[in-house]
Amino acid sequence: MYLIVVGAGDIGTPLVDLATAGGNEVVVIERDAERAERASRQYDCLVINDDATSKETLQDAGAERADALISTTDQDATNVMVCLLAQELSVPNIVSVVHNPEHMNVFEQIGVNTMQNPQSLIAEYLYRAVSRPSVVDFMHIGEEAEVFEITVGPDAPIAGRTLREADEADLIGGQTLIVAIERDGEGTPITPRGNTRIEADDLLTVYSGQGVTPEVTDVFGSSGDGE
Amino acid sequence: MYLIVVGAGDIGTPLVDLATAGGNEVVVIERDAERAERASRQYDCLVINDDATSKETLQDAGAERADALISTTDQDATNVMVCLLAQELSVPNIVSVVHNPEHMNVFEQIGVNTMQNPQSLIAEYLYRAVSRPSVVDFMHIGEEAEVFEITVGPDAPIAGRTLREADEADLIGGQTLIVAIERDGEGTPITPRGNTRIEADDLLTVYSGQGVTPEVTDVFGSSGDGE
Amino acid sequence: MYLIVVGAGDIGTPLVDLATAGGNEVVVIERDAERAERASRQYDCLVINDDATSKETLQDAGAERADALISTTDQDATNVMVCLLAQELSVPNIVSVVHNPEHMNVFEQIGVNTMQNPQSLIAEYLYRAVSRPSVVDFMHIGEEAEVFEITVGPDAPIAGRTLREADEADLIGGQTLIVAIERDGEGTPITPRGNTRIEADDLLTVYSGQGVTPEVTDVFGSSGDGE
Amino acid sequence: MYLIVVGAGDIGTPLVDLATAGGNEVVVIERDAERAERASRQYDCLVINDDATSKETLQDAGAERADALISTTDQDATNVMVCLLAQELSVPNIVSVVHNPEHMNVFEQIGVNTMQNPQSLIAEYLYRAVSRPSVVDFMHIGEEAEVFEITVGPDAPIAGRTLREADEADLIGGQTLIVAIERDGEGTPITPRGNTRIEADDLLTVYSGQGVTPEVTDVFGSSGDGE
Amino acid sequence: MYLIVVGAGDIGTPLVDLATAGGNEVVVIERDAERAERASRQYDCLVINDDATSKETLQDAGAERADALISTTDQDATNVMVCLLAQELSVPNIVSVVHNPEHMNVFEQIGVNTMQNPQSLIAEYLYRAVSRPSVVDFMHIGEEAEVFEITVGPDAPIAGRTLREADEADLIGGQTLIVAIERDGEGTPITPRGNTRIEADDLLTVYSGQGVTPEVTDVFGSSGDGE
Amino acid sequence: MYLIVVGAGDIGTPLVDLATAGGNEVVVIERDAERAERASRQYDCLVINDDATSKETLQDAGAERADALISTTDQDATNVMVCLLAQELSVPNIVSVVHNPEHMNVFEQIGVNTMQNPQSLIAEYLYRAVSRPSVVDFMHIGEEAEVFEITVGPDAPIAGRTLREADEADLIGGQTLIVAIERDGEGTPITPRGNTRIEADDLLTVYSGQGVTPEVTDVFGSSGDGE
Amino acid sequence: MYLIVVGAGDIGTPLVDLATAGGNEVVVIERDAERAERASRQYDCLVINDDATSKETLQDAGAERADALISTTDQDATNVMVCLLAQELSVPNIVSVVHNPEHMNVFEQIGVNTMQNPQSLIAEYLYRAVSRPSVVDFMHIGEEAEVFEITVGPDAPIAGRTLREADEADLIGGQTLIVAIERDGEGTPITPRGNTRIEADDLLTVYSGQGVTPEVTDVFGSSGDGE
Amino acid sequence: MYLIVVGAGDIGTPLVDLATAGGNEVVVIERDAERAERASRQYDCLVINDDATSKETLQDAGAERADALISTTDQDATNVMVCLLAQELSVPNIVSVVHNPEHMNVFEQIGVNTMQNPQSLIAEYLYRAVSRPSVVDFMHIGEEAEVFEITVGPDAPIAGRTLREADEADLIGGQTLIVAIERDGEGTPITPRGNTRIEADDLLTVYSGQGVTPEVTDVFGSSGDGE
């Protein structure tokens, strides 16, 4: 893939890291001389130290033959302008970071895919980390449902039972599914079956149709979780 | 929960939003006068416009009776200092954003939970958005496995088949599990069974032991996905 | 007319002057406190000292009931964002200054009327002022034609002749039309007829299908004009 | 023509563009190193990166043999000083931008031609664009009269009539003259005669002794125009 | 005298001091708020904290009835603009500091009296102070002649002689005249006559048609003077 | 003379000009890189771009063998420090500009010659220029007396008379002495004698024991002088 | 004591803390508004927010009746000027911080007591902390001798012996004297006598005529000390 | 010793001076380019111009084989981060400056030796210099005791007596010990014995169990000492 990354800041830098590691041809546009120089030194990519809101710069970056452009600057207005120019240059796939949630519609209106409010995502992780420390990671599915990783507490009701026993004891409702089990820090999860026994300290991947509610997590988590 | 949030910037602001909406008692410490004032105006929380690396400020924020403190400034050194002072003041639950991945160990060493490198997470989302546009959201499970949401393309091999048929046609390997199906934009996903038929435009939540590889996504995604 | 003017700088200020003098209801949005304060003192209008790229600010300015919005900031990216938000808020008539000619298409693409490159217009006036000092003002009509004001030089071929005589002497070609004559500094021009006599120092309004070329101006201007 | 342009900013840059394109010998004086360098790279002209309020700089720019000097800096005081020094060096033709209308007399007093308040001109264009959207361009003639371009609306009273018919129907007063007609986006306007028929979407160049008043424009414009 | 002083900086401040002490009605215009405030506190005068290159400001300062205006800012271009506006407002007596000697002609050309290059004057004093320490003060008369104050050294040839004896000994040439003698630090100088005896440590005021040359000063000064 | 000049600003620059023109060996110390570079380009002297409040810098400038040092920076505190270090390095002749009159004593106390308050001198010249326009230049002698240059007005009482006649008419008091006469713009003044006739437009050098009072100047000046 | 402290920065602040706690009447002069305000809020003293290099400011601070003035700004030139003005105002006791060791002589020359190079002192402490970690504190006496505090290591030769035994074993030379012993973290040291037994972990105050050399410290310190 | 010094500012510079003079292998890390360059020029050490809060920088500085690291930046948060990274890299001896006394615990908590509040130390010296001018230097021993150097005043009670006589006259209490005597500016102190006679101007090193109180110092100091 031929990819143009606009901005080599906090978000652009790991993005360039990922994209070059993935074997793509990457061109970075960064206005700040120092950042541009650093990116150029660190990654195997072409770095253009110029203003990406100029069509000429985008053309120099090869916008005409690019497969995608990702705009990561910290100014929504700059990102909008870059995306509009990229559209004019017919870049087939255009994605942008959006910082102010109010601007989400504007990007949709002009037909640009967006990374939904990254700071909110981080904020939610942080909030979960203090309100439900036993939940390690999570992902929203639709409006209510969630997939989440949870560590089984030593005193958890489910600890020591097989899935079948847990089911029979009505610990797991119909809308809850244990998808995978990580045990003893091994990288490869176990696919659970009816006779798989859940142990304390297991890291479970759980699907819950109701989301991460106390009812659901109480079965797995340590009793100390509060909201 | 009595929660102290340090920093009312890009990450701190949506965090305060979440935390106040969740009915918690929130105190914000922000050094910049303008940001402090804005937070104070927008959210139902106490805002202290001062330097959080001063023990006095943390005490003014009620650190002695706080249930948790989340440090969200954009300087790792500042976050470390705040966390150490919070430990000294016996805040039971301390979480910090970490910007430089090299600093992750330092936070672990002093016993502070961290939000792992938020910008990398965003970068990975952006990268996926252009390299695998059909994958809507995803979550890493252990080293390789992933749970992901994927839109079923109109020409996808699985479109139009029941799960059982898909299984029989060897479309779905042993390490792959379809966890949930969102259809027609309805908020509540369907829990799939053997005779559930997958349709084009369905948004599937899939668990894959191998992660999001072309072998796995080709069954669901549109053929246009490339890397 | 209910009019929102974004920016109270070099262009915004005389615009507010005109718009308030024309009896309109004017709301100004200006980010810089000092400029906002000055505008507020000088003109009979509401001035909002805030960032116009926030939907909230535009709503505060009454965007929902505004007849028109004119964006005059010196950043094209800012103007684009303001215009897109104004569209979202359904402002019926949106006009923007555009500084970089390369960005003209972008504004058209999103359906915003623009003031075409104001600095170029000024540059052309200045250039005419030295290359053809006898031409006082001018306006382009289509690609080549122009209407221009020109002072009749003392030795001009046309000086002292009636229009009919000038026509007979082939001084005025078929594509040239003398539209009006200002004489003796009187504010009201004379509508010329066949027997109107052109005199030195008359200020003529002339239409020329070929534009302001030496062939056309030699008849009117002082011989000293050169390019 | 040997032309010195002082300032390579927003106005100076398109001026240098015009002047070099016109085949003139152009010398630019610009104090800011970055702007000077950009101008030097873009245009075929000599650029002196120095302060134009120094006689030495003007001499280096060849003021003694220059045909004209145009001062375009954004400081009126600087422009005055440059013009006075240019007079001392006997530059025959000196023109300056003037930003503050109050300073217009000062420039006249020292005998310098001026570009009258460029920002006001732009402001007037913008204002017209929203108050009379059907008027495309315009030029003041004396105190009241104007030449203007107007698009004929689909329901305009004049649409579908010949000039003679319009005259007979009293649609066009004695002080109004249709000077030229642009049709179908063709670059060359039609010179109207009595039997020329006006059509919707024609772009007319009109002279009006009363200026652009509703009485005059109602005949041509769409009824939606308001003030 | 009604006097407007523009600028309350290094030169303007002692000027206001002198002018108010002399019983004049003084109005100061100073752009910098802090300086304006300080001047207002220290002197019995009206201080206007505004930009003097605006006609309105000068009118507020009473330019129409002022007897004189002195422009003391450190920008020659600003001083020129202020003086031109003052001329337009018919201030009868206009004086300006000029910093760049090259600009002296420009001020003359527009008919403004100037203080000739103050820094050069100071530089000359400093240079004299080290090259001829015995010369205390001096004033140029025409091109070569000077009046100067010199301290009579203990070993000076003239020490101990009457003027007549000095004359007879050819110590004082025909172009040299001892104008006054200050002795014993008394404020009132002695008018010298033929029998007045010059003593060591006398401070003489001397006129020399040749200026301050070694030939002239050797008679008075200590032998240590060198150049 | 081997001379160190500290500071190449408004005062230092003309000083270096004078000192190099006088054939001295000059070393300049200037902290600002740009100023240092300019001085180095313009004058035949060594320029050290460093901080003069460091003993090392002064030693590099050859303070040990310098005949004199003149400190001209615009900070009195810096000048004091430089002078003290120069004393420590035994520079025989040290002179400094002093900006704040309050600091004059401090310099005297440490035994440094000073240029007395240069801005006050300039202020007095400016003040005289408007309060007594006929007085061209002047020099204080002791507390009251002054030598001054004055242009003889056309209607001056003394115009047309010989010195003897003026004396007999009691126009010149015992404390007034006409020292020299410049006539017709010739550089060499005339030494006046009893029968020398004063003419209108003569530029007289006058000594007055009472200073420049109306009584004294009325005899020479135009009647328009006022205070 | 009536004490003026100039500067409320890193050094001035704890000084004011000490001086006010000691019951003195303290006046602080601080140029920076924010610092001045903070000092005023924190300490029971008068704070003048002004420039201390002005005699007026010092007089406002009561210099005429002050017992002492301490100048703590971070600019040596400023400190010199303040001290000279304080001398002029006859402050009996004047002390200054000196930052550049080269300037030490200058302060001595003008008769001001100085705090000798504070940063060097800190540097030496830090250096000792790594080169001889067992030495807790120290003080130079003359050129070589030192008094120092040292922790007795568990394996130190002196541990477990009385002073007399140590003497007899030639562990302590004639130029070494154990002055005091702190034991068990008690605030009051023991005055050692011949039969006092030194124990591991004792904190000894030792006088050594040779300074802190390995020969001396080996007896007390842990063997791990190296240089 | 292999020593890493972080920061080449006011404290770091003399530290590098000491450490290189002591023959150690020194590596300096300084973020500011100018300071880094100066250190590199002045001292025989390796200087790394980079951010020390990056593990990579510390590794480049050889942290793995360093014997010690001293962090001297003026930001406590930076010093904490540097120390934590140094711990992670197993630097055996880590010392840091601490500016805010409140942060002292934090450094202790993470196990870092600190230089206790250097500015307070300086402040105390300055305060002593004015409150007890006769006390030249001092060192705290435990909570109350002090060792101090004091100059014997001409009228001091102890002047002219032997130690035995002083003891007999009860001038020296049981908690006071005269440790050493410096006389006539000789570098090597005298070890006092019973018959050693104290003379005026002797510089005594005294141990006092009560600290430097008036009771103790009155015996030695000049009577003018007050608090």
Side-chain angles (χ1 to χ4, degrees), chain H:
Chain H
M1 198 165 48
Y2 186 109
L3 178 62
I4 298 175
V5 175
V6 176
D10 279 356
I11 293 171
T13 301
L15 175 57
V16 173
D17 194 8
L18 272 174
T20 51
N24 299 288
E25 188 173 354
V26 179
V27 179
V28 178
I29 305 175
E30 167 60 55
R31 196 177 193 163
D32 181 70
E34 201 183 318
R35 286 180 164 186
E37 205 259 315
R38 206 177 327 129
S40 175
R41 220 172 38 217
Q42 280 188 308
Y43 301 109
D44 178 22
C45 62
L46 172 66
V47 180
I48 297 177
N49 178 18
D50 215 331
D51 179 1
T53 65
S54 150
K55 200 151 70 178
E56 209 180 308
T57 308
L58 291 174
Q59 285 167 329
D60 289 352
E64 267 94 356
R65 62 191 191 88
D67 296 302
L69 174 147
I70 306 180
S71 190
T72 74
T73 81
D74 57 0
Q75 293 293 320
D76 284 350
T78 302
N79 291 331
V80 151
M81 181 58 95
V82 168
C83 291
L84 286 167
L85 289 170
Q87 285 182 334
E88 197 185 333
L89 295 168
S90 306
V91 178
N93 198 347
I94 303 172
V95 181
S96 177
V97 169
V98 181
H99 297 276
N100 185 341
E102 276 184 347
H103 294 159
M104 211 61 90
N105 282 349
V106 161
F107 283 85
E108 275 175 27
Q109 184 181 332
I110 62 170
V112 167
N113 295 319
T114 56
M115 165 64 203
Q116 58 181 68
N117 203 359
Q119 278 80 17
S120 287
L121 186 70
I122 297 168
E124 191 175 357
Y125 270 93
L126 289 170
Y127 181 54
R128 281 279 170 90
V130 300
S131 63
R132 297 199 186 282
S134 59
V135 172
V136 174
D137 198 358
F138 59 91
M139 183 172 89
H140 291 284
I141 310 290
E143 281 165 20
E144 277 210 328
E146 286 186 75
V147 173
F148 59 93
E149 286 187 291
I150 192 163
T151 307
V152 178
D155 310 324
I158 206 169
R161 304 194 194 215
T162 62
L163 286 189
R164 192 167 305 117
E165 290 165 8
D167 206 21
E168 287 162 11
D170 266 345
L171 292 174
I172 304 178
Q175 288 199 295
T176 304
L177 175 69
I178 294 179
V179 175
I181 303 171
E182 287 169 272
R183 187 167 287 167
D184 301 334
E186 284 183 19
T188 316
I190 301 164
T191 305
R193 295 176 194 291
N195 60 351
T196 308
R197 194 171 300 278
I198 303 298
E199 298 172 10
D201 289 334
D202 277 359
L203 182 58
L204 307 183
T205 301
V206 180
Y207 168 83
S208 160
Q210 305 158 253
V212 180
T213 60
E215 292 69 38
V216 174
T217 59
D218 283 358
V219 178
F220 310 102
S222 63
S223 55
D225 261 34
E227 190 154 359

Side-chain angles (χ1 to χ4, degrees), chain B residues 24-116:
Chain B
N24 300 286
E25 187 173 355
V26 179
V27 179
V28 178
I29 306 175
E30 167 60 55
R31 196 176 195 165
D32 181 69
E34 201 182 319
R35 287 179 164 185
E37 206 260 314
R38 208 178 323 130
S40 175
R41 218 172 38 217
Q42 280 188 308
Y43 301 109
D44 178 22
C45 61
L46 172 64
V47 180
I48 299 178
N49 178 17
D50 215 330
D51 180 2
T53 65
S54 150
K55 201 150 69 178
E56 212 179 306
T57 308
L58 291 173
Q59 285 166 330
D60 289 354
E64 267 93 356
R65 63 190 191 89
D67 296 303
L69 174 147
I70 306 179
S71 191
T72 74
T73 80
D74 56 2
Q75 294 292 319
D76 284 350
T78 302
N79 290 333
V80 152
M81 180 60 95
V82 168
C83 291
L84 286 167
L85 289 169
Q87 285 182 334
E88 198 185 330
L89 295 167
S90 305
V91 177
N93 198 347
I94 303 171
V95 180
S96 178
V97 169
V98 180
H99 297 275
N100 184 341
E102 277 184 347
H103 293 159
M104 210 61 92
N105 282 347
V106 161
F107 283 85
E108 276 177 25
Q109 184 181 330
I110 61 171
V112 167
N113 295 320
T114 56
M115 166 63 203
Q116 57 183 64

Side-chain angles (χ1 to χ4, degrees), chain G residues 30-48:
Chain G
E30 168 58 57
R31 195 176 195 164
D32 181 69
E34 200 183 319
R35 287 180 164 185
E37 206 259 315
R38 206 179 325 131
S40 175
R41 219 170 41 215
Q42 279 188 308
Y43 302 108
D44 178 22
C45 61
L46 172 66
V47 179
I48 298 177

Side-chain angles (χ1 to χ4, degrees), chain A residues 57-77:
Chain A
T57 308
L58 291 173
Q59 285 166 330
D60 289 353
E64 267 94 354
R65 62 192 190 89
D67 296 303
L69 175 148
I70 305 180
S71 191
T72 74
T73 82
D74 57 1
Q75 293 294 318
D76 285 351

Side-chain angles (χ1 to χ4, degrees), chain F residues 53 55 80 88 102-103 105, chain G residues 53 55 88 102-103 105:
Chain F
T53 65
K55 201 150 70 177
V80 152
E88 199 186 331
E102 275 184 349
H103 293 160
N105 282 348
Chain G
T53 65
K55 202 150 69 177
E88 198 185 331
E102 276 184 349
H103 293 159
N105 282 348

Side-chain angles (χ1 to χ4, degrees), chain E residues 78-156:
Chain E
T78 302
N79 290 332
V80 152
M81 181 59 96
V82 168
C83 290
L84 287 167
L85 290 169
Q87 285 182 335
E88 198 185 331
L89 295 167
S90 306
V91 178
N93 198 346
I94 303 171
V95 179
S96 177
V97 169
V98 181
H99 296 276
N100 184 342
E102 275 184 348
H103 294 159
M104 210 61 90
N105 281 348
V106 160
F107 283 84
E108 274 177 27
Q109 187 181 326
I110 61 170
V112 167
N113 296 320
T114 58
M115 166 63 202
Q116 57 181 70
N117 201 359
Q119 279 80 17
S120 286
L121 187 71
I122 297 167
E124 192 176 357
Y125 269 93
L126 289 170
Y127 182 53
R128 280 280 170 88
V130 297
S131 63
R132 298 197 186 284
S134 58
V135 173
V136 174
D137 198 359
F138 60 90
M139 181 172 90
H140 292 284
I141 309 292
E143 282 165 18
E144 278 208 327
E146 287 186 75
V147 172
F148 59 93
E149 286 187 290
I150 192 164
T151 308
V152 177
D155 310 324

